[in-house]
Every structure is written in C-alpha cells, then in structure tokens.
Amino acid sequence: MKKKNMPVLVVCLLIFVVAVIGLATHVIIRYLPTKERMDLTEYYGQAAEGEAALILGTEKLEQRGLISGEQAYLPLTVVNSYLNQRYYWDSENSQILYSTPSETIAFSSSEEPGGEVWVKDGSVYLSIPFIQKFTDIDAYVYQDPARVAIQYNFSDVNMVNVLKDTYVRFRGGIKSPVLTPVKKGDSLIFMEELEDWTQVATKDGYIGYIDKKKISEPETVTEERDFQREEYTYITMDQPVNMSWHQVTTQEANAYFADAVQNVSGVNVISPTWFYLQDTSGNIASIASQDYVNQAHERGMEVWGLIDNFTAEVSTTETLSRTSSRRNIISQLMDAALGVGLDGINVDFEALTEDVGIHFLQFLRELSIECHKNGLVLSVDNPVPEDFTSHYDRAEQGRVVDYVIIMGYDEHYVGSEQAGSVASLPWVEKGVQDTLAEVPAERVINAIPFYTRLWKTEGGALTSEAIGMDQAQEVIATYQVETYWDNEAGQNYGAYENEGATYQIWLEDAQSIAEKVKLVPKYGLAGVAQWKLGFENSSIWQVISDNLQ
C-alpha cells in the first residue's frame, strides 16, 4: 500500500516545489529591481553623423550641437537663448562680436571646424572653450552616443544628496530601465517630488527618477565659482532725476531756450531733440548748440541730447543690423556730444519690430562703451511693457545703460478704437511694476505726459487731438464743462456736447500729475521725466518738486 502511494506523494511534492518556484519567480520578477540599462541612443535620440544631443541644465533640447574630433560646438541660437545673449553675429563681416563693459571684441568665423566660430550649412556654432571665455558653465562631452551636457545655473539651485548607492531610472518604478548608477554622497539637481519617486538631473546630462527614500530632503545651494566677469558701472545722479524733453526741430529754435525755460523750476536735466537718422549707413543729422548747453549749465541743468529714429524712409532694422552703420552713428554722436559739451545721450528709438531687437541691444552695448569712456550718461526710452514689446529686453538694457525710461503715456492714442485716458494711474503704475521686474528701481525713470487728448465722437466716428494743460483748461472754461475726479483713472474727467458732437477729456492737471509723481518715492525710482516742455502749466513745476522727494 505504501509503495502504491509513493508515486502520488512524489508527484504532489514536485507540484508543490514547482508552485513554490513559480511563486518565488513571480515575487522576484515583481519586486526585484531591474538592472537593465536604457538604450542611450533611444534616450537622447538618434543623431546624424557629427551631431550631438544637447542637455542644458534640466532640459533635453531638440537642437543639436556638433562634435569634431575632441571639440564640441553649440548653436549660437542656443547660446543666446540659454547661456549668454551677448554673442552677436555680425553678418556684414561674418564674425562674432562680444561686448564687455569696456570694449567690443571681434572673432572671425570659419567654414571648417577647429576654431572658435564655425559656420556650417549657414548656421553659426561656437566652441565650448570660446563660450567659457565669457560665460560661467561646466561642460560634459561624451561619445557613443554623442552628447554635450551643460550646467549653467549655480545660484539658489535645489539639490539632493544620494544616501546609498542606487540608480537614476528612465521612469519612476523599479522596473524602469537604468539611466545611470549613482553613489552615496553624489549630488543631484532636484526637479519634482512624486509619491514614491523624485525627478532629478545629474550634472552630466541624465534626467530621470530616483527612489525618494534613497535621497535627502532638497536643499537650496549656491556653488562657489572661480569665474570672473567684468562688471558694468553706471553714471547716475546723486539726486532724483527731474528731466524734461524739449522738442527742438531747427538749429534756429535753439535760440529760444531761455524763453522755453523761463518758468521752469526743479528740472535738473533737459533733453533736446537734436539728432536723427538720415540714412541706413548711419549718418545722422545734428542741430546741437554749444550756446544752448552753456545756458542750460548756467541754470544747473544737465543736457542729454536725444537721438530718434523717426525718419520714415530710413529702416531702423537695416541700419542697426549693419555693424558699420552702428559704428557710424556712435562716432558721429560722440563727436557732436563732445563738441558742444553734452552730459548724456538719450536714445528714443520707437516702434521697434521684433526683428530689430537683437541689433538694437547690440547698438546699446556699443554705445554704452563709448558713452562711459567719455563720461556721458546713457538713457533709453521704452514703451510701457506689453507682451508685444518683450523684444525691447528691458532687463538687458538695464544691465548696459545708466537709466531705463518708461514712456508712461499713450495708453489711448490717435487711432485708438475707443476714447480713454492718455495715462490712467493704474496703467502707469502697472508699467512701473512690470519694468521693475527687469530693471533695478534706482535706475528707472518714469515719464509722464504734460498733454491730454480731447476726444470727439460725431456720426459714429472717433477722433482726437493732443492739447497741453492750459489749452485743456480753456476748453473746460469755454464750454463750462463740469468735471469730477475719476478714482479709477486717477484723473479729473469731463464730457460735453457741442454742435451734434460728444467731447470727452481725461485731464492732466496738478492733481493727476501729483499722483503719478508719487510713484517715484513709492517704488524708489530714479526720478521722473516729462513730455514735453511747452505743454505744461507753469504751476506744475512746484507740484512735481513737492511730490518727487
């Protein structure tokens, strides 16, 4: 009987063993972390011959770099967008220009690899060592697959430390393939914390996930660096700026300086409109006057000569995109400024299109160098920030010029679809706040209007005309307009009917100007400017002085 049961027992035992093995295998398969390595060609993407994947900080880019021998190159577009926007491609001379605070240096290009600037198939690439001349980066270059990892952020970075040897995986989960092993004590860039896993980046270009139990809590770290760059210094006034633009259109009009300022008080800077572009070669017209400057100095005013781009037939883009034209403008400006004893230059280039943005910034860098060599203040006029003017790049302006001026007017303008204030207080204040997000307050000047618009609606058509303060008060008196303080606009408002037409006006007067000037001490701004001399009421100067301090 026992012999008959033995095969049954053996079979049962075998079944049990197989079941245990199966269960153990299942447990192992399910719970044992995989050590399978991620296919890096799949991870970084297939690169063409000579190309390299690019990883900048915590981002894998679609753009590709180049590798020739042991030398790696990054596209100029990537360098400008992520690392350093001051590498400027001078297409006129096929070279890279780099402007420091004291000089502009030229670097020639080649259509062959090996140098600092490589032009391949019409695109510009910069070598890693060349980038490192002026930019604080760490670079990691690898083959198989070809890739370049760049670290460029070393301040206030969230980091974690590895607590025990482990892996960074492609996805969260122990079955996700391994990107790279990491050892106890390694530092990783913290990106995002999930339930059981944390997204991290290694300094050498892997972006993946790590078991959160095997890393420390994030800590904000600033790394000490040996990199030294030349810093900008600024020429600024030791008192609040109170500047008035003086529209001068002929050489003869300079003789009326004394009449224009006879009732002016408190103004310490005057900016006459003396220079403008004549052609795309960078020739400028000048009506600068030594006698005007002398008289202004006698009244305790600095003179910042204004240059504009209002000549309709001269393309600003074509002019500023040529290095020879920029240099011509700057050379002539310096000759004129030194010839009449100017204290500064005010750049009033308006209606700039997006394609001219990089050339305008390079113009300011180059102009800044020459202005500071000659002790001249450089200021630049900007519209109130809007999304469609981001190419003005006020942040970069603020790094290279002495004063960034907000033209805090033209909220509503000739051609607007509806009547409204030229400069309502909330709109002006938001313009200040948005500018301060990019430029230090102590070098921001807020410009206010001395004019308003008289709006006329007749037969469904809306028109307007710009009028000064005294003329606006004459309209109020003539038509016996009842005005009231509009809290929302921060201005006195009035409306009236005449000969079948409706008229509206948002007044610039002592009350509205006072509220705008108060923004200067409120936000610690450098000062105030006014457009334009001649539109004011003579009593407004005391209002400005009283509220500027």
Side-chain angles (χ1 to χ4, degrees):
M1 191 69 176
K2 289 181 179 179
K3 289 183 179 180
K4 290 182 178 179
N5 291 336
M6 185 63 68
V8 176
L9 290 173
V10 170
V11 170
C12 291
L13 181 60
L14 287 173
I15 293 172
F16 175 76
V17 170
V18 169
V20 169
I21 291 172
L23 180 62
T25 303
H26 173 75
V27 170
I28 290 170
I29 291 173
R30 182 172 181 181
Y31 294 104
L32 185 67
T34 182
K35 294 183 180 180
E36 177 193 359
R37 300 297 289 264
M38 179 78 184
D39 182 338
L40 294 183
T41 299
E42 178 185 349
Y43 177 69
Y44 289 113
Q46 185 68 48
E49 182 69 26
E51 291 188 344
L54 294 181
I55 309 93
L56 267 71
T58 58
E59 183 178 357
K60 286 192 295 183
L61 305 187
E62 292 184 5
Q63 301 98 315
R64 297 293 187 180
L66 299 177
I67 292 184
S68 177
E70 296 184 357
Q71 186 65 277
Y73 292 80
L74 302 188
L76 175 62
T77 52
V78 169
V79 176
N80 285 162
S81 298
Y82 290 88
L83 305 178
N84 188 335
Q85 67 187 111
R86 292 184 188 156
Y87 294 91
Y88 174 82
W89 176 242
D90 172 12
S91 59
E92 183 180 31
N93 301 294
S94 296
Q95 61 185 4
I96 285 287
L97 300 179
Y98 192 90
S99 293
T100 72
S102 60
E103 63 178 336
T104 295
I105 312 166
F107 300 88
S108 59
S109 67
S110 172
E111 294 187 356
E112 299 296 328
E116 294 170 316
V117 185
W118 180 10
V119 179
K120 184 176 187 294
D121 299 329
S123 296
V124 181
Y125 296 82
L126 308 184
S127 73
I128 296 292
F130 178 42
I131 298 167
Q132 290 175 319
K133 280 186 178 181
F134 302 106
T135 314
D136 189 13
I137 63 170
D138 287 337
Y140 305 83
V141 181
Y142 300 96
Q143 299 284 359
D144 300 322
R147 60 197 189 276
V148 180
I150 302 290
Q151 295 300 329
Y152 59 95
N153 187 5
F154 305 106
S155 298
D156 298 327
V157 182
N158 288 328
M159 305 290 293
V160 294
N161 292 319
V162 179
L163 300 178
K164 60 184 298 186
D165 294 358
T166 186
Y167 301 97
V168 174
R169 298 181 180 276
F170 178 55
R171 301 287 187 207
I174 60 174
K175 296 304 181 182
S176 180
V178 170
L179 288 175
T180 184
V182 288
K183 293 184 176 298
K184 180 180 178 180
D186 286 351
S187 293
L188 305 173
I189 303 169
F190 172 86
M191 295 176 63
E192 182 183 10
E193 183 176 302
L194 305 177
E195 184 176 354
D196 297 311
W197 294 80
T198 297
Q199 188 180 29
V200 295
T202 67
K203 292 184 178 181
D204 57 351
Y206 296 101
I207 301 165
Y209 295 82
I210 192 167
D211 185 342
K212 65 186 298 183
K213 296 190 296 295
K214 296 181 180 180
I215 56 173
S216 67
E217 290 295 318
E219 180 183 0
T220 302
V221 175
T222 294
E223 184 178 334
E224 289 188 12
R225 306 288 294 176
D226 294 329
F227 183 82
Q228 297 291 324
R229 61 167 57 85
E230 186 179 355
E231 298 293 338
Y232 278 88
T233 58
Y234 306 102
I235 305 173
T236 56
M237 301 182 73
D238 57 5
Q239 57 184 310
V241 176
N242 187 355
M243 182 181 96
S244 279
W245 281 293
H246 184 197
Q247 190 171 29
V248 182
T249 55
T250 65
Q251 186 75 51
E252 293 72 27
N254 288 315
Y256 296 97
F257 168 80
D259 293 335
V261 300
Q262 63 179 340
N263 294 317
V264 171
S265 64
V267 170
N268 52 24
V269 179
I270 193 164
S271 181
T273 56
W274 275 350
F275 311 108
Y276 59 90
L277 301 180
Q278 284 189 305
D279 56 41
T280 55
S281 296
N283 292 305
I284 66 173
S286 169
I287 55 172
S289 163
Q290 175 77 68
D291 185 56
Y292 183 109
V293 173
N294 291 342
Q295 290 185 67
H297 286 170
E298 288 172 4
R299 293 182 64 98
M301 298 177 183
E302 290 192 6
V303 184
W304 299 353
L306 180 148
I307 179 169
D308 68 46
N309 66 333
F310 299 165
T311 308
E313 61 271 20
V314 178
S315 164
T316 305
T317 302
E318 188 175 347
T319 304
L320 296 187
S321 62
R322 296 177 181 171
T323 295
S324 58
S325 298
R326 295 193 308 273
R327 289 175 176 170
N328 195 23
I329 295 170
I330 293 168
S331 174
Q332 292 181 63
L333 271 179
M334 293 303 102
D335 288 345
L338 298 176
V340 299
L342 284 180
D343 305 286
I345 298 294
N346 176 239
V347 177
D348 189 29
F349 282 14
E350 300 187 23
L352 298 178
T353 54
E354 189 170 356
D355 59 345
V356 77
I358 58 172
H359 309 300
F360 178 61
L361 292 172
Q362 183 62 19
F363 171 63
L364 295 181
R365 295 182 193 113
E366 294 169 357
L367 179 57
S368 171
I369 293 167
E370 297 307 313
C371 280
H372 289 168
K373 281 181 182 177
N374 292 288
L376 299 171
V377 177
L378 177 59
S379 61
V380 184
D381 306 335
N382 287 268
V384 167
E386 303 283 358
D387 289 342
F388 57 84
T389 63
S390 61
H391 56 279
Y392 279 71
D393 197 343
R394 294 158 184 83
E396 178 68 358
Q397 286 188 34
R399 297 182 191 107
V400 304
V401 310
D402 299 305
Y403 289 110
V404 173
I405 301 177
I406 312 166
M407 295 183 291
Y409 38 78
D410 282 345
E411 178 184 5
H412 294 86
Y413 49 90
V414 61
S416 287
E417 295 181 359
Q418 61 182 23
S421 170
V422 166
S424 67
L425 185 61
W427 182 81
V428 172
E429 186 163 14
K430 185 177 186 304
V432 169
Q433 293 168 344
D434 290 346
T435 301
L436 295 186
E438 300 183 87
V439 186
E442 64 271 16
R443 291 189 293 105
V444 172
I445 297 170
N446 190 47
I448 60 177
F450 276 166
Y451 69 95
T452 188
R453 286 197 169 274
L454 180 61
W455 298 91
K456 177 182 179 181
T457 304
E458 184 175 28
L462 178 67
T463 57
S464 69
E465 61 174 316
I467 58 178
M469 290 182 173
D470 286 339
Q471 188 177 353
Q473 292 302 323
E474 289 174 7
V475 168
I476 298 300
T478 299
Y479 296 98
Q480 299 181 335
V481 181
E482 184 176 348
T483 63
Y484 67 89
W485 180 255
D486 181 345
N487 275 319
E488 185 174 341
Q491 290 175 285
N492 284 300
Y493 168 80
Y496 64 96
E497 304 284 334
N498 185 49
E499 296 182 353
T502 299
Y503 293 83
Q504 296 170 278
I505 191 167
W506 284 261
L507 293 167
E508 292 296 352
D509 53 21
Q511 197 172 359
S512 70
I513 293 296
E515 294 304 311
K516 291 180 177 65
V517 176
K518 286 176 183 177
L519 297 176
V520 173
K522 178 178 179 179
Y523 289 98
L525 306 183
V528 69
Q530 309 95 27
W531 179 265
K532 64 178 179 173
L533 198 61
F535 273 167
E536 79 281 4
N537 179 283
S538 59
S539 64
I540 206 66
W541 300 111
Q542 191 61 49
V543 173
I544 293 173
S545 295
D546 289 345
N547 291 281
L548 184 59
Q549 302 302 322

